[in-house]
Amino acid sequence: MAIFSKFVKKKKEPVLGLALGGGGARGYAHLGALKAFAEAGLTFPVVAGTSVGAIVGALYAAGANSDDLIHAGVAIDPKEIKTGPIFLASPAKGIENLVRRFLGDMGFKELKYKFACVAVDLIEAKQIILTEGNIARAVSASCAVPGVFQPVVMNGCHLVDGGVLNTIPTDVARVLGADYVVAVDVNPTRGGGTASTSTVEVLQASLRIVTAQNAAYGRANADVLVSAELGDFSASKKNGFEQMMEIGYNAARKEIDNIKALLAQ
């Protein structure tokens, strides 16, 4: 049999993709999920992220391990991200500076793994998949929540948070070449309305409703879904970040066998 073994085509190893969803401060659960994946020996050569998922995804794609990511998360000061009056949209420079602190002026081509982040162009009213140029700038665009941050102007586009159209980018991970996609949703309770008539509350509730609709598609399009129940935590505050990481870790551990089953097919 050994004589003919060289003529036998080896089975192609499946490419595992990771889709990290948006959710603001609830993104701390992403860090716990990645720790669980690392402990199980799982790596993701393809990563797609939206909003906070873009921040975590970029660092992971650059080669940061789970401990690096947790240390980075602990060191974040939310006041450095949202600058200016609370009721006025801030420039997204705080987000860009945060990512630049860890990755410098790194470009997409310098990453260890394939990575894309999702934004929405207000001029053309369409999704933009960012895979080129400066990572910190691209990630800031993916995180620019309307009404909270000003749009990021890039290449003639006015870019805002990708969650407006694609908050759990499983389809983007497939476009990058993933055979199977593991999605991490850190905000499964999104979509709540409001009885308030204030401009801010109305805007926020409208955005939640929109993202809930497109999140349903992202969840359904995942081969394995890690759903971290974080309804008791704020999307805008760091309070309880350790518990959020633990919830993400436990949610991911429950799906490890299902992920390994995909790779064994």
Side-chain angles (χ1 to χ4, degrees), residues 54-229:
I55 297 176
V56 177
L59 270 61
Y60 177 83
N65 60 38
S66 60
D67 287 338
D68 294 332
L69 290 167
I70 290 172
H71 290 153
V74 170
I76 290 175
D77 181 357
K79 293 179 182 178
E80 297 176 346
I81 299 174
K82 174 71 169 79
T83 58
I86 190 169
F87 295 115
L88 293 178
S90 301
K93 198 69 177 178
I95 301 170
E96 181 177 342
N97 290 340
L98 171 68
V99 179
R100 198 180 297 276
R101 183 194 310 166
F102 301 116
L103 301 184
D105 288 320
M106 183 178 287
F108 281 82
K109 293 181 180 179
E110 301 171 71
L111 294 171
K112 181 178 180 179
Y113 302 126
K114 283 186 180 180
F115 171 68
C117 57
V118 180
V120 171
D121 178 21
L122 291 180
I123 297 176
E124 296 292 335
K126 66 179 183 181
Q127 171 179 279
I128 302 294
I129 301 174
L130 298 167
T131 58
E132 296 180 343
N134 181 272
I135 294 169
R137 184 81 168 156
V139 168
S140 73
S142 183
C143 295
V145 179
V148 178
F149 297 102
Q150 298 169 8
V152 175
V153 179
M154 288 178 60
N155 303 322
C157 299
H158 291 183
L159 301 178
V160 296
D161 193 309
V164 173
L165 290 178
N166 193 355
T167 195
I168 304 175
T170 48
D171 56 342
V172 175
R174 295 190 196 281
V175 169
L176 290 180
D179 296 308
Y180 301 113
V181 179
V182 176
V184 182
D185 185 5
V186 298
N187 193 17
T189 58
R190 63 173 66 78
T194 180
S196 172
T197 58
S198 79
T199 301
V200 173
E201 286 294 330
V202 169
L203 177 61
Q204 290 178 340
S206 300
L207 189 59
R208 289 196 298 268
I209 293 167
V210 169
T211 56
Q213 294 301 308
N214 71 63
Y217 171 77
R219 287 169 64 93
N221 193 37
D223 294 292
V224 173
L225 175 65
V226 174
S227 187
E229 298 294 335

Side-chain angles (χ1 to χ4, degrees), residues 6 30 51 54 56 186 212:
K6 65 180 179 179
H30 284 318
S51 201
V56 177
V186 298

